[in-house]
Amino acid sequence: MKSVVFRELPVHDANWSITTGRDGNIYVGVCGELTGGLSVFIVRYNPVNEKTEYLLEVSPALNEPPDNGRAPLSKIHYGMVPGSDGKLYCATHFSGPPLGDAIWRPWHTWDDHEKMASGFHIFSFDPVTEQVEDFGVMSRNEGSRAMALAEKKRLIYGVTWPRDHFYIFDLKNHKYRDLGRIGNVNPQSVWIDNEENGYTVDDLGFIVKYDVMSDRLIHLDVRVPKDPMFPSEERCVYDTVPSPDGKSIYGVVWNLEWAQFASRLFRYDFKDNKVYDLGPGYGKDPCDHIGGLIFGEDGYLYYAASRKDSNRRIPYRMYLFRMNVHTLEKEEIAPFDDGEYHAEYIAKATIDFAGNLYFADTNNRPTRIYIYTPEGASGKFIPRWPLVRSWG
Amino acid sequence: MPIPLNVLREKKWPVPCHPIGREVIGKRNLSEFTSLSHFTPDMEFIARKGYQYGHYPMPFDYLESHIVREGTLKILPLPIPPEECGITSLVVDKTGRVFGSTAGRRCHLFLWDPKEKKHIVKIGTIDTACTKSSLAIVSDGSILLGIKPTSGESPLYRYVPGYSSNHLEKLAVPVRGEGIAVLAADSDASCVYGLSSITGTFFYFDNKTNYVKVFEPLDEHNLFSEVLVVTPDGDVYGGCRWTEIFRYDHINEQIQRTIIVAPSLAGRKMYNRISMLIFNQKDGYIYGGTSSDGLLFRFSPNLKEVISLGKPLAVPSIRCCVVTPNGDLYGIGGKEMCHLFRYLPDKCDMRDMGILSVASPRHWDGYEFDAAVTGLEGEIYFGENDRISHLFIYYPA
C-alpha cells in the first residue's frame, strides 16, 4: 500500500485528524503526544501533484508556545472539519506532556498554574489566505476529543476531555455553552443528521442526542451493540460515517482501551431511531480495534481492523477490510504496510475527488497516511461538495 | 506560504522518551500484567539501533496516583434522570437509612437502605426547578425538605416514613417570596432551623406544632453563608457577613453576632463564605470550611476562638465533610475536579487522598460533590452533584 510519510516532523507520533478540504486536498493534524513540548501541525497533501506542505504550527499561531512549560496544544484529535467556505474548523486537544516531562494527565495538574492545560481552542484556518481565526479558549483545563460542524446553524458540537461534557460553540455569536456531563469516558465521535441535531454515545453505549429544536440533551433508549462475549455493559463509539443516502450512519464500537471483544459494526437509522448490529469487523481476536470507516465510490464500507501482535508496543497489525452494506459480507483487502512499516493503529479516514482512500496512522515516528485506491474509484479529480462528513 | 522545509529541518526538536512504532523491535513485560493501554509503565520497549532517547523519570504509579487508593469505594446509580439528579443533601435516620435530595430541573427525595442493599428508591418529587435542596431529620423520624428555587418562593416540605405513602406534604412558606437555602436539626429534638434563600432570614419550624418563627435577616446586605450546624446543647451556628460566625441561643431565642471570623487568605475575606460546618462529638469542636479559599478551620463554641488548620487541597472550596465515630474528618473540596481529603485531629495529619473513582459497576470518576453523611457502621456517603450523579459509599481503611 502507498503511503505519504511526514518526515519533516521526525518526533511527532500520531495523525489523529484527517479530512478533505473544499479544494480536494487532504489535510492532516500531525500530533505529538508522546514527547514533551510539541505543537500539532496542519499538513496538506495534494493528491494531484502529490506534494506535501507543512502549513501551520498551531500552538504558536494561537499564542501558546509549546515550550512554555505547560501542557502544549499537542493535538487536533477528531476535531478537524472542512467548511463549505474552504476553511478548516478545528478544536485542539491535549495529552502531550510539557517540555521536559515524560507524561502529563489533566487530573494531576488541574489547579497547577504552571503545568495545567490552558483549555482547548476552537479556531478556523483558511489554507488559501493562511488566516487563523482563534475563537478563544473554551473550557479551562480540557481538550476536545471529538467535534462536528453543523454548518447551516453555524454551530459546533463536541465533547470535552477529561470531564466528558457535551458542548456547543456558536460560530455566529462566538458563544460557548457547556451542556454538562454525559458519561465518564469520552466518545470518539460526534455526528449530525440532516436537521443538524448532534449525536454521540455515552459509555454505557446509549446514544445521546442534542435536539436543536428543544435545545436539550436527550439520552435515547437506543444502544450500540456489544459482542455477546463481552461481559461488561460498558462500551462507546469510535468512528462513524454517514451512509451514502444520508439517512443513517455506520459506526464501530470502541474497546475503551481495556474492553475485550468490544469492537462491533453497527448502523443507526435516524428516522427509525434504531440500531442495527452488523457484527464484528474481524472478530478473531479479543482485543480488536476498528477505525478508519469510509465509504468508497463503489458503495463498499472500508475500514481498518486489527490482528494481534503482542511483540509491538500497541499490540496490533492493521488490515484493510471492506463490507458490502447490503449483504454484510466482509472481506480482507490488504495490510496497511507500505514496505517500511505495518501500521499498529489506524485512526480515521477520508477520500479525495478521485475516490482514493486515505487512512491516518498513529503511534509511529515519523507519522504517515496510507493510501488505497479501490477498484471502483473513478480516478478523475472532479470537484464536488459535500464530499466528506462534517465531523471529525 | 507553507513552512519552509529548511526551517523544519533545522529545528531543534525535543528528544523522545521511548521507542514507538517502527523503532520498537521487541518488548519485555516487567510484570505479569498485560494491558491494551497505550501506556504501560511496566513494559520495557527494545529499541532499534541508532535511535536516541531522553531520560525522563516518572513515578511508576503516576497513572493511578491521582485517585483514592485507601479504603473501599462503591457507587449506586440514582433512578432519576440527568439534570435533576444532583445530590445536594444527605441525612441518616436512627435505623441507618440514608435519605437524599437532589436539585436541577426538579427536586427528588430518595432513600437507600443499607440493610436491604437493593437499590435506591425515589420517594417524592417537587416539580420545581431549583439550584439546591436541603434535608433535616427530627426526633420522630420525619424528614423536612427545603429547596432554593431558581425563581419565586417555595414552602417547606415534610415526608413521614411509613405513613405518607411517598407523599411530600407541603407546609408553610417560612419567608414570603423566598425559598430555603439550608436546613439543620438536632435529631433528638422536634425543631428544624433554616435560612431563607435570598435575604438569609433565620427561622425555625416546630415539627410537633407546625409553628414557624421568623427572625430577621442575618445581614442588612443579605450576605450570609448557606450553612447551619446544631450543637448538642441545642444552639445553632452559622455564617453571616462573609465569614463571620453567628450563634442562635435557642433558650433565649436570640441571634448573636459574634466577633469570631473564620479564616481567609490575606486580603480575601470579601470573597469567602463559610461553605461547611460540622460538629465533632469526640473533641467538642465545630469544624468548618470556606468557599473561595478552601481553608479548614476549627471553632470552639466554649472558648470562642477559631484555629485555622490550613488548606487540605490545592483547590478552592470545601464542599462537604463528615466526622467519623472516632473523630476523624473526611471531606471533599474543589471545583470541577473534587478531591477527597482526610484530617486526623489526634495526629494533626491532613492529606489529599485524591479523586473518588470506581471501576464497578461501571467506570466512574466523581468530579462534583455537595453532600456527605456518615452511616451507622462508619461508612461514609458522598452525594455527587453533577448532570449525571451517583451515591458514593466509602469505607475508610
PDB file of all heavy atoms in Angstrom, chain A residues 296-320:
ATOM      1  N   GLY A 296     -16.361   3.977  -0.017  1.00  0.00           N
ATOM      2  CA  GLY A 296     -15.732   4.192  -1.303  1.00  0.00           C
ATOM      3  C   GLY A 296     -16.774   4.577  -2.338  1.00  0.00           C
ATOM      4  O   GLY A 296     -17.983   4.457  -2.110  1.00  0.00           O
ATOM      5  N   GLU A 297     -16.305   5.004  -3.511  1.00  0.00           N
ATOM      6  CA  GLU A 297     -17.233   5.348  -4.591  1.00  0.00           C
ATOM      7  C   GLU A 297     -17.983   4.119  -5.078  1.00  0.00           C
ATOM      8  O   GLU A 297     -19.031   4.223  -5.719  1.00  0.00           O
ATOM      9  CB  GLU A 297     -16.467   5.983  -5.765  1.00  0.00           C
ATOM     10  CG  GLU A 297     -15.965   7.374  -5.460  1.00  0.00           C
ATOM     11  CD  GLU A 297     -15.196   7.987  -6.624  1.00  0.00           C
ATOM     12  OE1 GLU A 297     -14.714   7.221  -7.491  1.00  0.00           O
ATOM     13  OE2 GLU A 297     -15.081   9.209  -6.667  1.00  0.00           O
ATOM     14  N   ASP A 298     -17.436   2.938  -4.760  1.00  0.00           N
ATOM     15  CA  ASP A 298     -18.060   1.687  -5.188  1.00  0.00           C
ATOM     16  C   ASP A 298     -19.185   1.260  -4.238  1.00  0.00           C
ATOM     17  O   ASP A 298     -19.790   0.204  -4.427  1.00  0.00           O
ATOM     18  CB  ASP A 298     -16.993   0.581  -5.284  1.00  0.00           C
ATOM     19  CG  ASP A 298     -16.160   0.468  -4.019  1.00  0.00           C
ATOM     20  OD1 ASP A 298     -16.550   1.074  -2.982  1.00  0.00           O
ATOM     21  OD2 ASP A 298     -15.123  -0.202  -4.035  1.00  0.00           O
ATOM     22  N   GLY A 299     -19.422   2.053  -3.193  1.00  0.00           N
ATOM     23  CA  GLY A 299     -20.519   1.729  -2.273  1.00  0.00           C
ATOM     24  C   GLY A 299     -20.124   0.808  -1.144  1.00  0.00           C
ATOM     25  O   GLY A 299     -20.938   0.522  -0.254  1.00  0.00           O
ATOM     26  N   TYR A 300     -18.899   0.300  -1.172  1.00  0.00           N
ATOM     27  CA  TYR A 300     -18.455  -0.535  -0.069  1.00  0.00           C
ATOM     28  C   TYR A 300     -18.069   0.356   1.123  1.00  0.00           C
ATOM     29  O   TYR A 300     -17.605   1.478   0.947  1.00  0.00           O
ATOM     30  CB  TYR A 300     -17.210  -1.349  -0.464  1.00  0.00           C
ATOM     31  CG  TYR A 300     -17.508  -2.572  -1.286  1.00  0.00           C
ATOM     32  CD1 TYR A 300     -17.387  -2.540  -2.684  1.00  0.00           C
ATOM     33  CD2 TYR A 300     -17.882  -3.776  -0.678  1.00  0.00           C
ATOM     34  CE1 TYR A 300     -17.647  -3.670  -3.446  1.00  0.00           C
ATOM     35  CE2 TYR A 300     -18.138  -4.912  -1.437  1.00  0.00           C
ATOM     36  CZ  TYR A 300     -18.024  -4.853  -2.816  1.00  0.00           C
ATOM     37  OH  TYR A 300     -18.279  -5.968  -3.575  1.00  0.00           O
ATOM     38  N   LEU A 301     -18.244  -0.216   2.310  1.00  0.00           N
ATOM     39  CA  LEU A 301     -17.754   0.459   3.516  1.00  0.00           C
ATOM     40  C   LEU A 301     -16.371  -0.102   3.820  1.00  0.00           C
ATOM     41  O   LEU A 301     -16.215  -1.297   4.102  1.00  0.00           O
ATOM     42  CB  LEU A 301     -18.690   0.203   4.707  1.00  0.00           C
ATOM     43  CG  LEU A 301     -18.228   0.785   6.047  1.00  0.00           C
ATOM     44  CD1 LEU A 301     -18.180   2.317   5.994  1.00  0.00           C
ATOM     45  CD2 LEU A 301     -19.168   0.336   7.183  1.00  0.00           C
ATOM     46  N   TYR A 302     -15.372   0.752   3.727  1.00  0.00           N
ATOM     47  CA  TYR A 302     -13.998   0.342   4.011  1.00  0.00           C
ATOM     48  C   TYR A 302     -13.652   0.674   5.457  1.00  0.00           C
ATOM     49  O   TYR A 302     -14.141   1.675   6.017  1.00  0.00           O
ATOM     50  CB  TYR A 302     -13.019   1.061   3.057  1.00  0.00           C
ATOM     51  CG  TYR A 302     -13.109   0.559   1.637  1.00  0.00           C
ATOM     52  CD1 TYR A 302     -14.088   1.048   0.755  1.00  0.00           C
ATOM     53  CD2 TYR A 302     -12.228  -0.411   1.164  1.00  0.00           C
ATOM     54  CE1 TYR A 302     -14.187   0.574  -0.533  1.00  0.00           C
ATOM     55  CE2 TYR A 302     -12.315  -0.898  -0.136  1.00  0.00           C
ATOM     56  CZ  TYR A 302     -13.299  -0.404  -0.983  1.00  0.00           C
ATOM     57  OH  TYR A 302     -13.405  -0.880  -2.263  1.00  0.00           O
ATOM     58  N   TYR A 303     -12.815  -0.145   6.052  1.00  0.00           N
ATOM     59  CA  TYR A 303     -12.386   0.135   7.421  1.00  0.00           C
ATOM     60  C   TYR A 303     -11.095  -0.612   7.706  1.00  0.00           C
ATOM     61  O   TYR A 303     -10.719  -1.555   6.996  1.00  0.00           O
ATOM     62  CB  TYR A 303     -13.462  -0.248   8.444  1.00  0.00           C
ATOM     63  CG  TYR A 303     -13.916  -1.684   8.403  1.00  0.00           C
ATOM     64  CD1 TYR A 303     -13.316  -2.663   9.199  1.00  0.00           C
ATOM     65  CD2 TYR A 303     -14.969  -2.082   7.566  1.00  0.00           C
ATOM     66  CE1 TYR A 303     -13.737  -3.979   9.166  1.00  0.00           C
ATOM     67  CE2 TYR A 303     -15.390  -3.402   7.526  1.00  0.00           C
ATOM     68  CZ  TYR A 303     -14.778  -4.341   8.314  1.00  0.00           C
ATOM     69  OH  TYR A 303     -15.193  -5.647   8.278  1.00  0.00           O
ATOM     70  N   ALA A 304     -10.443  -0.181   8.769  1.00  0.00           N
ATOM     71  CA  ALA A 304      -9.201  -0.819   9.204  1.00  0.00           C
ATOM     72  C   ALA A 304      -9.500  -1.640  10.448  1.00  0.00           C
ATOM     73  O   ALA A 304     -10.128  -1.146  11.383  1.00  0.00           O
ATOM     74  CB  ALA A 304      -8.154   0.235   9.528  1.00  0.00           C
ATOM     75  N   ALA A 305      -9.070  -2.877  10.449  1.00  0.00           N
ATOM     76  CA  ALA A 305      -9.279  -3.752  11.610  1.00  0.00           C
ATOM     77  C   ALA A 305      -7.944  -4.368  12.006  1.00  0.00           C
ATOM     78  O   ALA A 305      -7.058  -4.576  11.169  1.00  0.00           O
ATOM     79  CB  ALA A 305     -10.294  -4.845  11.299  1.00  0.00           C
ATOM     80  N   SER A 306      -7.831  -4.692  13.271  1.00  0.00           N
ATOM     81  CA  SER A 306      -6.542  -5.154  13.796  1.00  0.00           C
ATOM     82  C   SER A 306      -6.473  -6.677  13.881  1.00  0.00           C
ATOM     83  O   SER A 306      -7.480  -7.373  13.984  1.00  0.00           O
ATOM     84  CB  SER A 306      -6.327  -4.576  15.187  1.00  0.00           C
ATOM     85  OG  SER A 306      -7.297  -5.097  16.087  1.00  0.00           O
ATOM     86  N   ARG A 307      -5.238  -7.159  13.858  1.00  0.00           N
ATOM     87  CA  ARG A 307      -4.939  -8.520  14.293  1.00  0.00           C
ATOM     88  C   ARG A 307      -3.866  -8.402  15.359  1.00  0.00           C
ATOM     89  O   ARG A 307      -3.024  -7.505  15.298  1.00  0.00           O
ATOM     90  CB  ARG A 307      -4.411  -9.376  13.142  1.00  0.00           C
ATOM     91  CG  ARG A 307      -5.445  -9.859  12.197  1.00  0.00           C
ATOM     92  CD  ARG A 307      -5.033 -11.158  11.542  1.00  0.00           C
ATOM     93  NE  ARG A 307      -6.027 -11.556  10.553  1.00  0.00           N
ATOM     94  CZ  ARG A 307      -5.936 -11.331   9.249  1.00  0.00           C
ATOM     95  NH1 ARG A 307      -4.881 -10.713   8.758  1.00  0.00           N
ATOM     96  NH2 ARG A 307      -6.897 -11.705   8.431  1.00  0.00           N
ATOM     97  N   LYS A 308      -3.875  -9.344  16.255  1.00  0.00           N
ATOM     98  CA  LYS A 308      -2.993  -9.215  17.413  1.00  0.00           C
ATOM     99  C   LYS A 308      -1.543  -9.502  17.032  1.00  0.00           C
ATOM    100  O   LYS A 308      -1.244 -10.433  16.285  1.00  0.00           O
ATOM    101  CB  LYS A 308      -3.437 -10.210  18.486  1.00  0.00           C
ATOM    102  CG  LYS A 308      -2.797  -9.986  19.832  1.00  0.00           C
ATOM    103  CD  LYS A 308      -3.431 -10.900  20.852  1.00  0.00           C
ATOM    104  CE  LYS A 308      -2.674 -10.796  22.158  1.00  0.00           C
ATOM    105  NZ  LYS A 308      -3.215 -11.686  23.169  1.00  0.00           N
ATOM    106  N   ASP A 309      -0.652  -8.652  17.585  1.00  0.00           N
ATOM    107  CA  ASP A 309       0.783  -8.921  17.523  1.00  0.00           C
ATOM    108  C   ASP A 309       1.363  -8.440  18.840  1.00  0.00           C
ATOM    109  O   ASP A 309       1.615  -7.250  19.029  1.00  0.00           O
ATOM    110  CB  ASP A 309       1.421  -8.190  16.348  1.00  0.00           C
ATOM    111  CG  ASP A 309       2.909  -8.485  16.223  1.00  0.00           C
ATOM    112  OD1 ASP A 309       3.514  -9.006  17.205  1.00  0.00           O
ATOM    113  OD2 ASP A 309       3.476  -8.207  15.159  1.00  0.00           O
ATOM    114  N   SER A 310       1.611  -9.376  19.753  1.00  0.00           N
ATOM    115  CA  SER A 310       1.999  -8.998  21.115  1.00  0.00           C
ATOM    116  C   SER A 310       3.395  -8.423  21.210  1.00  0.00           C
ATOM    117  O   SER A 310       3.765  -7.881  22.243  1.00  0.00           O
ATOM    118  CB  SER A 310       1.937 -10.226  22.032  1.00  0.00           C
ATOM    119  OG  SER A 310       0.637 -10.731  22.048  1.00  0.00           O
ATOM    120  N   ASN A 311       4.174  -8.534  20.139  1.00  0.00           N
ATOM    121  CA  ASN A 311       5.546  -8.072  20.216  1.00  0.00           C
ATOM    122  C   ASN A 311       5.678  -6.589  19.895  1.00  0.00           C
ATOM    123  O   ASN A 311       6.783  -6.087  19.735  1.00  0.00           O
ATOM    124  CB  ASN A 311       6.419  -8.885  19.238  1.00  0.00           C
ATOM    125  CG  ASN A 311       7.860  -8.938  19.704  1.00  0.00           C
ATOM    126  OD1 ASN A 311       8.132  -9.004  20.898  1.00  0.00           O
ATOM    127  ND2 ASN A 311       8.779  -8.894  18.764  1.00  0.00           N
ATOM    128  N   ARG A 312       4.544  -5.913  19.794  1.00  0.00           N
ATOM    129  CA  ARG A 312       4.575  -4.499  19.438  1.00  0.00           C
ATOM    130  C   ARG A 312       4.092  -3.665  20.619  1.00  0.00           C
ATOM    131  O   ARG A 312       3.414  -4.157  21.513  1.00  0.00           O
ATOM    132  CB  ARG A 312       3.651  -4.260  18.244  1.00  0.00           C
ATOM    133  CG  ARG A 312       4.105  -5.016  17.019  1.00  0.00           C
ATOM    134  CD  ARG A 312       3.157  -4.779  15.890  1.00  0.00           C
ATOM    135  NE  ARG A 312       3.938  -4.508  14.687  1.00  0.00           N
ATOM    136  CZ  ARG A 312       3.519  -3.760  13.689  1.00  0.00           C
ATOM    137  NH1 ARG A 312       2.335  -3.187  13.732  1.00  0.00           N
ATOM    138  NH2 ARG A 312       4.285  -3.581  12.642  1.00  0.00           N
ATOM    139  N   ARG A 313       4.443  -2.395  20.559  1.00  0.00           N
ATOM    140  CA  ARG A 313       4.033  -1.503  21.644  1.00  0.00           C
ATOM    141  C   ARG A 313       2.505  -1.435  21.724  1.00  0.00           C
ATOM    142  O   ARG A 313       1.916  -1.599  22.788  1.00  0.00           O
ATOM    143  CB  ARG A 313       4.630  -0.114  21.428  1.00  0.00           C
ATOM    144  CG  ARG A 313       4.252   0.863  22.508  1.00  0.00           C
ATOM    145  CD  ARG A 313       4.915   2.202  22.317  1.00  0.00           C
ATOM    146  NE  ARG A 313       4.196   3.188  23.089  1.00  0.00           N
ATOM    147  CZ  ARG A 313       3.179   3.916  22.633  1.00  0.00           C
ATOM    148  NH1 ARG A 313       2.796   3.791  21.384  1.00  0.00           N
ATOM    149  NH2 ARG A 313       2.561   4.771  23.414  1.00  0.00           N
ATOM    150  N   ILE A 314       1.851  -1.109  20.623  1.00  0.00           N
ATOM    151  CA  ILE A 314       0.398  -1.294  20.529  1.00  0.00           C
ATOM    152  C   ILE A 314       0.247  -2.668  19.883  1.00  0.00           C
ATOM    153  O   ILE A 314       0.748  -2.872  18.783  1.00  0.00           O
ATOM    154  CB  ILE A 314      -0.243  -0.213  19.622  1.00  0.00           C
ATOM    155  CG1 ILE A 314       0.164   1.188  20.035  1.00  0.00           C
ATOM    156  CG2 ILE A 314      -1.752  -0.372  19.577  1.00  0.00           C
ATOM    157  CD1 ILE A 314      -0.363   1.638  21.358  1.00  0.00           C
ATOM    158  N   PRO A 315      -0.402  -3.595  20.545  1.00  0.00           N
ATOM    159  CA  PRO A 315      -0.283  -4.991  20.092  1.00  0.00           C
ATOM    160  C   PRO A 315      -1.136  -5.337  18.870  1.00  0.00           C
ATOM    161  O   PRO A 315      -1.881  -6.316  18.870  1.00  0.00           O
ATOM    162  CB  PRO A 315      -0.737  -5.771  21.327  1.00  0.00           C
ATOM    163  CG  PRO A 315      -1.721  -4.878  21.994  1.00  0.00           C
ATOM    164  CD  PRO A 315      -1.234  -3.470  21.775  1.00  0.00           C
ATOM    165  N   TYR A 316      -1.033  -4.549  17.816  1.00  0.00           N
ATOM    166  CA  TYR A 316      -1.872  -4.773  16.635  1.00  0.00           C
ATOM    167  C   TYR A 316      -1.053  -4.693  15.353  1.00  0.00           C
ATOM    168  O   TYR A 316      -0.033  -4.003  15.305  1.00  0.00           O
ATOM    169  CB  TYR A 316      -2.953  -3.679  16.498  1.00  0.00           C
ATOM    170  CG  TYR A 316      -3.926  -3.535  17.639  1.00  0.00           C
ATOM    171  CD1 TYR A 316      -4.328  -2.264  18.049  1.00  0.00           C
ATOM    172  CD2 TYR A 316      -4.485  -4.644  18.277  1.00  0.00           C
ATOM    173  CE1 TYR A 316      -5.243  -2.092  19.082  1.00  0.00           C
ATOM    174  CE2 TYR A 316      -5.390  -4.474  19.308  1.00  0.00           C
ATOM    175  CZ  TYR A 316      -5.763  -3.202  19.701  1.00  0.00           C
ATOM    176  OH  TYR A 316      -6.676  -3.027  20.710  1.00  0.00           O
ATOM    177  N   ARG A 317      -1.577  -5.361  14.339  1.00  0.00           N
ATOM    178  CA  ARG A 317      -1.240  -5.055  12.949  1.00  0.00           C
ATOM    179  C   ARG A 317      -2.564  -4.741  12.259  1.00  0.00           C
ATOM    180  O   ARG A 317      -3.535  -5.488  12.448  1.00  0.00           O
ATOM    181  CB  ARG A 317      -0.576  -6.257  12.261  1.00  0.00           C
ATOM    182  CG  ARG A 317       0.858  -6.480  12.701  1.00  0.00           C
ATOM    183  CD  ARG A 317       1.504  -7.644  11.979  1.00  0.00           C
ATOM    184  NE  ARG A 317       2.840  -7.864  12.527  1.00  0.00           N
ATOM    185  CZ  ARG A 317       3.958  -7.369  11.997  1.00  0.00           C
ATOM    186  NH1 ARG A 317       3.913  -6.660  10.882  1.00  0.00           N
ATOM    187  NH2 ARG A 317       5.124  -7.596  12.566  1.00  0.00           N
ATOM    188  N   MET A 318      -2.596  -3.686  11.476  1.00  0.00           N
ATOM    189  CA  MET A 318      -3.866  -3.238  10.891  1.00  0.00           C
ATOM    190  C   MET A 318      -4.017  -3.732   9.457  1.00  0.00           C
ATOM    191  O   MET A 318      -3.045  -3.772   8.689  1.00  0.00           O
ATOM    192  CB  MET A 318      -3.948  -1.706  10.892  1.00  0.00           C
ATOM    193  CG  MET A 318      -3.839  -1.060  12.264  1.00  0.00           C
ATOM    194  SD  MET A 318      -5.072  -1.580  13.470  1.00  0.00           S
ATOM    195  CE  MET A 318      -6.595  -1.094  12.713  1.00  0.00           C
ATOM    196  N   TYR A 319      -5.258  -4.101   9.138  1.00  0.00           N
ATOM    197  CA  TYR A 319      -5.584  -4.610   7.807  1.00  0.00           C
ATOM    198  C   TYR A 319      -6.801  -3.865   7.269  1.00  0.00           C
ATOM    199  O   TYR A 319      -7.713  -3.526   8.021  1.00  0.00           O
ATOM    200  CB  TYR A 319      -5.888  -6.116   7.884  1.00  0.00           C
ATOM    201  CG  TYR A 319      -4.668  -6.920   8.254  1.00  0.00           C
ATOM    202  CD1 TYR A 319      -4.275  -7.068   9.590  1.00  0.00           C
ATOM    203  CD2 TYR A 319      -3.865  -7.508   7.264  1.00  0.00           C
ATOM    204  CE1 TYR A 319      -3.140  -7.775   9.925  1.00  0.00           C
ATOM    205  CE2 TYR A 319      -2.731  -8.225   7.595  1.00  0.00           C
ATOM    206  CZ  TYR A 319      -2.376  -8.344   8.928  1.00  0.00           C
ATOM    207  OH  TYR A 319      -1.239  -9.046   9.257  1.00  0.00           O
ATOM    208  N   LEU A 320      -6.800  -3.670   5.956  1.00  0.00           N
ATOM    209  CA  LEU A 320      -7.933  -3.021   5.320  1.00  0.00           C
ATOM    210  C   LEU A 320      -8.988  -4.070   4.993  1.00  0.00           C
ATOM    211  O   LEU A 320      -8.685  -5.113   4.399  1.00  0.00           O
ATOM    212  CB  LEU A 320      -7.485  -2.309   4.043  1.00  0.00           C
ATOM    213  CG  LEU A 320      -8.578  -1.590   3.236  1.00  0.00           C
ATOM    214  CD1 LEU A 320      -9.187  -0.456   4.065  1.00  0.00           C
ATOM    215  CD2 LEU A 320      -8.015  -1.047   1.922  1.00  0.00           C
TER     216      LEU A 320
END
